[in-house]
Amino acid sequence: MPFTSKTPPYLTPEQRHTLTQIPADLPDREIVRYNTFTQQDPNLIKQRRRLYNRLGFAVQLAVLRFPGRPLKDLAGIACRVLAAIADQIQVSASAFARYGDRDNTLYEHLDEIRQKCKFRECGWREYL
């Protein structure tokens, strides 16, 4: 049977949501595990001039690693996760509210992260 939908029929909407979002009740240990940056990451993050862009870039980098989705695909970022990321780069978590004031910024940062980290989009073509 050929694929006619972008959504696999074997996952319910609730299951798909669970697999593609950061759980709100993620334990502290898991927050540290999934959101601790490598030694090279801060240098990449600090290339942003504005604090809210640094934080936004850092969040995009973190969510691409877990849960493996771009920021635009997530319903939101839990306050505890945002605070952990902000603390590492020494930016106030409240700065995140301004990230994406310019729509292109999100996409430019996503493209840069994909290029620098050698991430690529994964779609149905890769599975065939």
Side-chain angles (χ1 to χ4, degrees), residues 96-107:
F96 189 67
R98 293 218 35 221
Y99 183 62
D101 282 351
R102 186 177 149 265
D103 285 339
N104 286 348
T105 301
L106 285 101
Y107 295 100

Side-chain angles (χ1 to χ4, degrees), residues 31 55 59 77-94:
I31 290 174
L55 182 55
V59 169
I77 303 295
C79 293
R80 292 173 43 246
V81 171
L82 184 59
I85 294 169
D87 187 52
Q88 286 182 76
I89 63 168
Q90 299 174 345
V91 172
S92 170
S94 64

Side-chain angles (χ1 to χ4, degrees), residues 7 14 21-23 34 37 52-53 57 72 82 88 124:
T7 305
E14 294 80 20
Q21 301 297 315
I22 299 172
Y34 293 125
F37 295 115
Y52 57 87
N53 281 334
F57 188 91
K72 64 182 177 59
L82 184 59
Q88 286 182 76
W124 286 112

